[in-house]
C-alpha cells in the first residue's frame, strides 16, 4: 500500500494513507477563508479550546471534550479569524466509499447523510480519544502497523454511531429508529451507495434513480430535500474527491485523472474542479502535494 509519510509542521502533525485515503491530523485548527466541502466522513475531537463552524450557513460550536461527526458534502468553515496558540484538535477524514464498505446499518447511514453534524461527548468513544489519535499518527506511518489504525478508526465510528442511536432523543421509546420505516430515507441511502460504487462510470442522476427503481424527478427531489444537495452535485462531488486523491497520491496527468474519476473529458473535469475548489488541477497539486 502506497502512502504519504508523517509530516510535522510547528504544532501540527498529519499523515495521509493513499488507499483507503485516510487522513489524520493533530494540532491547531487551520484558518479557513471560505467554506469548503468534501466527500469524506469527517470526525473532529476538541482536546482544548473550541471549534466554531458555519455549517451550511448555520453556526455550530464543538466544545472541549466533544466529538463532531459529519459528512463533509455540506459547505462548512471555521469562523475564527485568529487561532489561539493553545488550541488542540484532532481530525480524521474517511472517504464515504470506505464508510459504505463497512456494512453499517441503514439507521447509521441515514444519520451520517443528513446536513447537520452529530456532536457527542468524548465518553461516547469508550476509549481515550486523544491517545487513539496519537497512536494513529504513528501506526499510519508504518506499513506493518497501519491496519491497526484503520481497524480502530472503523471501530470508533461504529461506537459513536451506536452511542448516538441509544441517546438521540428523536428515537422512539423502545429504541427503534422510526426513520427506518421511512421509505424516503432508505431510498436516499440506496442512491448514495450506488453513486459511490459507480461514479467513475458514465452515469447520470437519472441512471442513479433508475438503479434504485425510482422516478428520476421524484428521486432528485427526495435526495435534495433529505441531504441538502442535489443528486447531480453529489455525483460531481464524488468525482472531484477522487480527482483530488489522484492528484495528491499519483503522478497521473490531468487527462488520465479526468477519465479515472469519471468526468468523461478533460475540459469537463477542469471546469468542475476549478469551480468547486477554486484552483486548477495543477495548482491544487502544487499547493497541497
Amino acid at each position: 500500500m502506497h502512502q504519504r509519510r508523517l509530516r510535522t509542521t510547528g504544532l501540527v502533525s498529519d499523515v495521509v494513507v493513499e488507499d483507503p485515503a485516510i487522513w489524520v491530523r493533530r494540532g491547531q485548527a487551520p484558518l479557513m477563508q471560505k467554506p469548503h466541502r468534501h466527500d469524506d466522513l469527517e470526525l473532529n475531537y476538541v482536546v482544548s479550546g473550541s471549534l466554531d463552524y458555519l455549517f451550511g450557513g448555520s453556526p455550530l460550536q464543538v466544545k472541549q471534550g466533544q466529538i463532531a461527526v459529519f459528512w463533509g458534502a455540506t459547505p462548512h468553515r471555521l469562523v475564527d479569524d485568529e487561532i489561539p496558540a493553545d488550541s488542540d484538535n484532532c481530525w480524521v477524514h474517511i472517504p464515504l466509499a470506505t464508510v459504505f464498505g463497512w456494512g453499517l446499518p441503514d439507521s447509521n447511514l441515514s444519520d451520517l447523510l443528513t446536513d447537520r453534524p452529530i456532536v457527542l461527548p468524548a465518553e461516547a468513544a469508550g476509549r481515550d480519544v486523544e491517545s487513539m489519535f496519537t497512536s494513529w499518527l504513528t501506526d499510519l506511518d508504518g506499513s506493518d502497523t497501519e491496519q491497526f489504525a484503520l481497524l480502530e478508526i472503523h471501530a470508533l465510528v461504529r461506537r459513536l454511531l451506536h452511542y448516538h442511536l441509544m441517546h438521540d432523543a428523536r428515537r422512539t421509546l423502545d429504541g427503534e429508529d422510526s426513520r427506518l420505516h421511512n421509505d424516503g430515507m432508505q431510498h436516499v441511502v440506496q442512491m448514495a451507495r450506488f453513486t459511490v460504487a459507480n461514479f467513475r462510470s458514465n452515469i447520470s442522476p437519472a441512471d442513479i434513480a433508475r438503479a434504485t427503481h425510482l422516478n428520476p424527478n421524484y428521486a432528485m427531489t427526495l435526495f435534495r430535500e433529505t441531504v441538502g444537495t442535489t443528486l447531480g452535485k453529489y455525483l460531481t462531488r464524488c468525482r472531484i474527491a477522487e480527482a483530488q486523491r489522484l492528484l495528491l497520491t499519483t503522478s497521473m496527468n490531468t487527462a488520465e485523472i479526468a477519465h479515472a474519476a469519471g468526468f468523461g473529458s478533460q475540459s469537463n473535469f477542469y471546469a468542475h474542479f476549478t469551480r468547486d475548489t477554486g484552483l486548477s488541477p495543477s495548482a491544487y497539486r502544487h499547493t497541497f502535494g
Side-chain angles (χ1 to χ4, degrees):
M1 181 180 294
H2 301 291
Q3 65 181 45
R4 303 184 66 190
R5 308 302 294 177
L6 177 70
R7 299 177 296 186
T8 302
T9 305
L11 299 177
V12 175
S13 296
D14 67 356
V15 64
V16 180
V17 173
E18 178 184 341
D19 185 19
I22 304 287
W23 173 69
V24 176
R25 172 190 171 105
R26 168 79 187 273
Q28 289 179 308
L31 288 171
M32 299 175 66
Q33 301 301 320
K34 61 181 182 179
H36 76 142
R37 57 186 181 178
H38 49 80
D39 197 46
D40 300 326
L41 180 68
E42 182 169 340
L43 189 153
N44 302 161
Y45 171 58
V46 180
V47 182
S48 63
S50 65
L51 293 174
D52 292 288
Y53 280 102
L54 274 178
F55 201 91
S58 300
L60 173 76
Q61 184 177 70
V62 187
K63 300 176 182 178
Q64 182 172 324
Q66 289 185 325
I67 302 170
V69 185
F70 57 90
W71 179 35
T74 299
H76 56 283
R77 68 175 288 253
L78 293 170
V79 298
D80 294 326
D81 293 328
E82 294 184 7
I83 304 299
D86 61 348
S87 71
D88 188 7
N89 307 277
C90 301
W91 284 267
V92 59
H93 285 205
I94 311 122
L96 203 60
T98 299
V99 175
F100 278 135
W102 289 344
L104 297 173
D106 283 357
S107 57
N108 287 163
L109 292 174
S110 66
D111 285 332
L112 294 177
L113 291 175
T114 59
D115 59 357
R116 291 293 292 174
I118 300 168
V119 180
L120 303 168
E123 67 188 58
R127 299 288 187 276
D128 183 333
V129 184
E130 184 178 350
S131 296
M132 281 194 290
F133 273 86
T134 300
S135 67
W136 294 345
L137 286 166
T138 301
D139 289 340
L140 290 172
D141 194 41
S143 59
D144 294 335
T145 56
E146 67 182 35
Q147 289 301 320
F148 302 154
L150 298 176
L151 289 170
E152 288 177 357
I153 290 168
H154 178 180
L156 174 59
V157 172
R158 281 188 177 269
R159 285 180 180 276
L160 295 175
L161 293 173
H162 178 74
Y163 184 98
H164 180 62
L165 180 69
M166 295 296 101
H167 293 80
D168 187 357
R170 293 172 297 174
R171 311 291 172 177
T172 56
L173 290 178
D174 63 359
E176 186 179 15
D177 184 356
S178 61
R179 283 177 296 169
L180 284 178
H181 300 292
N182 182 334
D183 289 340
M185 178 54 77
Q186 291 181 340
H187 287 317
V188 167
V189 170
Q190 291 170 359
M191 285 187 280
R193 284 186 187 275
F194 181 85
T195 305
V196 166
N198 296 280
F199 70 84
R200 296 175 184 84
S201 302
N202 182 25
I203 61 171
S204 68
D207 295 324
I208 298 168
R210 283 191 288 269
T212 50
H213 309 291
L214 297 175
N215 173 275
N217 289 336
Y218 170 73
M220 292 174 201
T221 299
L222 175 65
F223 196 90
R224 183 182 68 250
E225 292 179 349
T226 304
V227 178
T229 189
T230 69
L231 189 53
K233 287 181 179 179
Y234 175 58
L235 174 59
T236 299
R237 189 57 240 164
C238 289
R239 289 168 172 165
I240 289 173
E242 175 68 356
Q244 289 172 311
R245 185 186 74 82
L246 294 173
L247 284 166
L248 296 180
T249 59
T250 75
S251 59
M252 296 169 66
N253 61 41
T254 55
E256 292 170 329
I257 290 174
H259 175 74
F263 281 99
S265 71
Q266 190 171 356
S267 60
N268 191 30
F269 165 48
Y270 188 93
H272 282 293
F273 191 94
T274 303
R275 182 172 63 243
D276 200 80
T277 68
L279 295 169
S280 68
S282 59
Y284 183 90
R285 174 177 270 166
H286 177 76
T287 302
F288 299 106

